[in-house]
Amino acid sequence: MAPDPPRKLRRDAAENAERLIAAAVRSGLAEGRAVPLAQIAAAAGVGVGTLYRRYPNREALLEAMAVRAYRLILAEAEDALARGGSGLDSVGRFLRQTFVHRDELVLPLHGAPMTEETESARLRGRVQQVMAAIVERGHADGTVRRDVDAGTVVRFGALLAQPMSNVPGLEAAAEEQRAVFLRGIAAG
């Protein structure tokens, strides 16, 4: 029997949940996974009790962060599949857009738990399916080398999105790296 779908949150509860996730992402980027939950609650402008009502433990908060990140990645992959021209163009579109969201992707890029039978696992699988469709388009239209798979693209995207605050001109450097990668996966 399938579990009951989650209840829709009241508007204020949904806003608190979003503020908590955003604060957790900012704190995670600044201090890593071990940031105190009370510090996240304070950064979100809510009490620690509000955090624990919504996320009873660190694992629940990490899962929520991963779900949010995978939803963003999936939306960009689906957009690239729908709006991109060739397979190679779609890969480029996906890489550009995920780079734009890099600060929101603290998880899964930086150690999301690789859980199974969770919403994040389902979304992770869906991202792989959509990326496989993009790469298969590239194989079919002759723009992407046959030895390239969805994992190649996803791993590169994750590497490209790593925070590098000490790199001057990061936007231009990322564009240069994308161009090199795209030339590398382009069919001869």
Side-chain angles (χ1 to χ4, degrees):
M1 173 182 277
D4 292 334
R7 303 191 328 239
K8 185 169 169 97
L9 292 176
R10 290 186 337 256
R11 188 170 147 245
D12 62 328
E15 289 169 357
N16 284 343
E18 180 55 32
R19 280 199 313 272
L20 283 164
I21 296 296
V25 167
R26 287 189 307 275
S27 298
L29 283 171
E31 299 185 37
R33 283 177 53 163
V35 63
L37 296 181
Q39 184 176 332
I40 292 170
V46 301
V48 73
T50 299
L51 183 145
Y52 280 110
R53 268 191 303 283
R54 184 72 188 120
Y55 308 107
N57 53 45
R58 186 172 300 275
E59 290 73 30
L61 181 59
L62 291 173
E63 170 67 8
M65 291 170 68
V67 164
R68 181 178 188 247
Y70 282 126
R71 283 182 179 154
L72 282 168
I73 294 167
L74 179 58
E76 294 303 344
E78 288 173 337
D79 181 68
L81 181 61
R83 295 176 44 166
S86 70
L88 191 63
D89 291 339
S90 296
V91 169
R93 179 182 194 84
F94 171 77
L95 293 173
R96 273 189 301 283
Q97 289 308 112
T98 53
F99 182 78
V100 167
H101 292 295
R102 70 190 177 279
D103 289 342
E104 299 171 78
L105 304 176
V106 65
L107 292 177
L109 298 180
H110 302 278
M114 294 299 278
T115 57
E116 296 303 321
E117 309 215 8
T118 60
E119 185 176 2
S120 65
R122 184 185 62 74
L123 290 166
R124 186 174 62 243
R126 182 71 185 125
V127 167
Q128 284 293 330
Q129 290 172 342
V130 174
M131 289 310 303
I134 289 172
V135 172
E136 287 169 17
R137 176 190 290 168
H139 294 163
D141 67 19
T143 59
V144 175
R145 291 182 2 206
R146 290 265 175 208
D147 61 338
V148 173
D149 63 19
T152 305
V153 176
V154 170
R155 285 187 299 275
F156 179 76
L159 291 170
L160 189 63
Q162 296 294 317
M164 296 190 298
S165 58
N166 60 342
V167 175
L170 180 59
E171 301 278 332
E175 182 56 40
E176 176 186 21
Q177 292 304 307
R178 265 191 307 277
V180 169
F181 176 77
L182 292 171
R183 282 194 304 270
I185 68 167

